[in-house]
Amino acid sequence: MARLYSFYGCRLQSALTLSFVPECLGDGAADVSLILGEVPGSLPDPVWTSPLVSVAAGGTVLMGADSVGRFLLEGGRTIVVQLAAEARAVEVEAFLAGPVAGVLLHQRGVLPLHASCVDTAFGAVALAGSVGRGKSTIATALTRRGAQLMSDDICPVRFDRDLGPVAIPGSAGLRLWPDSHGFFQCESAGWLPICTGQLKRIGRAEFHQSAPRRLRAVVRLVADNEHPPSIRRMEGLVAAVPVGDLVYRFGVGRALGRTEALFHGAVRLADQVPVFEVRRPNGFGHLDNVADLILGAVGDFV
Amino acid sequence: MISDLEAYRILSRNPEILSAEVGGTLALMSVRNGQYYALNGTASEIWRMLEQPVALARLSASVASAYEGDSGQIEKDLRETLEEWLAHRLIVATPRNAE
């Protein structure tokens, strides 16, 4: 029987049982339906393709991975899923709450930051950066200081008339590489490979905030192995660009005709919320310092 | 580029350029090549004057009336700005007979 979940700001009625996404309380119509069915292996005349994603001219998106199956997204309202024969539930959910969620948000006209997000004592802080910049690791470090994870890797933002930019919670699933997993001494039980053959593991965040929060800062993470960690305020245009570094799967968004909306969204965000650049060496030696820098800078602006 | 300005008289924004305000700066993005540009206060004002296609002579007059100073220098600065914008395809110039 299909269940109703609170999925990145949408009410998702899902034929698949999800374990990292909170169920919706009460009744109400679904915004998005996930059903099981046959999904074609390709789209006719796609306008944009990547190894995982294919976008048709009308905005239909086909996504898939061999170990998971195929997902067809239409109009930001329907997801048809054809599971692979050996698909593992955790992999399917990781794919659904990751790449599929990002594309769904694009179809629904939401601004999806490529960021992990935590709810701190000052409000929500988005930790933005491309793959390998330490979004999940720093989010975990901040949760060890009392913050609550709101989402990992994708942070949907909506603009509220009264509050300004608001971060929308996503999945409680946290994705960590083995070294981060070991550093934080996460218990092995419940942490499973995100994908067959992948070292990255997914597990439930210990503390998860499931309500929207006012976004107080965006932190752009930059690797710098030459210097100790530092933080600086970014102002003007540089705070908002490159838009492709801030927005999750910007290429898909462009293929869906969202270039202008995403540019304006990124600029509006940078105009309304302080944006910081944190430069930090790879590894774990400076994590406490980085957490102090972020919390100190955000606290000064609230 | 000077010859472009001389030969063509109607100037307009390139529709492939997106613009938005951020922190008091006007931010531009080229949809075609993903390049970004930041315009300062005076340049932002000229950009706003280009919201509708405008003849070079009328634009020059508008800028000259908006800013105090030597009119010859203002026109020279304006031309330099417009030439730069033409080079970066931020604006397009159309022939006079398209008026």
Side-chain angles (χ1 to χ4, degrees):
Chain A
M1 180 180 166
R3 294 185 179 182
L4 197 59
Y5 295 95
S6 178
F7 187 75
Y8 291 93
C10 313
R11 293 168 69 88
L12 171 70
Q13 188 168 47
S14 174
L16 296 172
T17 300
L18 307 177
S19 54
F20 296 128
V21 179
E23 285 196 56
C24 281
L25 301 175
D27 297 324
D31 303 308
V32 182
S33 296
L34 184 154
I35 57 175
L36 299 176
E38 280 194 28
V39 174
S42 62
L43 292 174
D45 302 322
V47 295
W48 192 87
T49 58
S50 76
L52 283 184
V53 187
S54 186
V55 181
T60 296
V61 178
L62 174 66
M63 307 182 68
D66 290 343
S67 61
V68 176
R70 295 196 290 268
F71 294 67
L72 190 71
L73 289 78
E74 292 184 296
R77 298 187 59 84
T78 307
I79 306 171
V80 185
V81 182
Q82 183 172 346
L83 295 175
E86 304 295 326
R88 294 161 54 241
V90 68
E91 281 189 51
V92 173
E93 182 165 351
F95 196 73
L96 176 67
V100 174
V103 172
L104 181 75
L105 291 166
H106 276 302
Q107 284 187 329
R108 294 183 64 80
V110 177
L111 175 65
L113 297 184
H114 193 184
S116 297
C117 186
V118 292
D119 184 31
T120 70
F122 310 112
V125 176
L127 306 161
S130 52
V131 175
R133 290 290 173 267
K135 299 184 291 293
S136 306
T137 298
I138 295 171
T140 305
L142 290 168
T143 64
R144 299 295 166 102
R145 295 182 169 222
Q148 294 183 306
L149 184 78
M150 293 188 66
S151 61
D152 187 26
D153 206 36
I154 304 171
C155 173
V157 173
R158 83 177 151 78
F159 293 91
D160 183 275
R161 189 186 304 172
D162 299 320
L163 298 176
V166 173
I168 308 297
S171 163
L174 181 64
R175 300 144 198 256
L176 293 175
W177 292 101
D179 52 355
S180 296
H181 191 262
F183 177 81
F184 291 115
Q185 298 180 315
C186 302
E187 289 186 16
S188 296
W191 286 80
L192 299 168
I194 205 166
C195 180
T196 303
Q198 255 260 27
L199 294 174
K200 210 170 192 178
R201 288 173 176 263
I202 186 168
R204 177 177 293 280
E206 286 180 61
F207 305 101
H208 184 238
Q209 173 55 259
S210 57
R213 286 287 185 263
R214 185 172 176 180
L215 187 58
R216 290 297 193 175
V218 174
V219 176
R220 302 183 69 165
L221 302 171
V222 177
D224 181 351
N225 290 313
E226 305 294 320
H227 303 95
S230 63
I231 191 167
R232 72 177 180 95
R233 176 96 188 265
M234 304 175 84
E235 294 185 273
L237 178 62
V238 293
V241 302
V243 178
D245 285 0
L246 272 180
V247 173
Y248 187 81
R249 294 195 180 267
F250 183 54
V252 176
R254 289 186 68 136
L256 290 170
R258 303 199 65 217
T259 307
E260 184 166 5
L262 295 170
F263 171 69
H264 281 114
V267 167
R268 187 177 178 191
L269 180 67
D271 204 38
Q272 296 184 10
V273 169
V275 178
F276 299 96
E277 178 188 74
V278 165
R279 307 185 75 87
R280 71 169 196 112
N282 291 326
F284 306 97
H286 300 276
L287 265 187
D288 279 341
N289 190 359
V290 170
D292 286 341
L293 288 173
I294 292 172
L295 292 174
V298 176
D300 286 344
F301 274 88
V302 174
Chain B
M1 280 301 153
I2 289 174
S3 59
D4 276 358
L5 274 178
E6 297 301 334
Y8 298 97
R9 297 297 176 87
I10 303 297
L11 302 171
S12 56
R13 295 178 185 172
N14 182 342
E16 293 182 338
I17 300 297
L18 306 175
S19 63
E21 292 264 355
V22 56
T25 299
L26 193 66
L28 306 184
M29 175 186 172
S30 165
V31 174
R32 180 175 290 270
N33 62 22
Q35 290 288 313
Y36 300 95
Y37 306 87
L39 303 188
N40 65 18
T42 304
S44 299
E45 197 53 43
I46 296 170
W47 183 260
R48 289 188 190 93
M49 291 176 183
L50 285 162
E51 186 168 6
Q52 299 295 327
V54 60
L56 174 59
R58 179 174 293 182
L59 179 64
S60 295
S62 298
V63 173
S65 66
Y67 294 94
E68 292 182 3
D70 178 66
S71 59
Q73 186 62 44
I74 289 174
E75 177 155 352
K76 179 173 177 288
D77 292 344
L78 173 64
R79 281 175 174 268
E80 286 178 2
T81 298
L82 294 174
E83 284 159 7
E84 189 178 357
W85 288 1
L86 279 169
H88 287 274
R89 299 179 188 275
L90 303 183
I91 58 174
V92 292
T94 51
R96 183 181 179 80
N97 59 13
E99 277 184 80

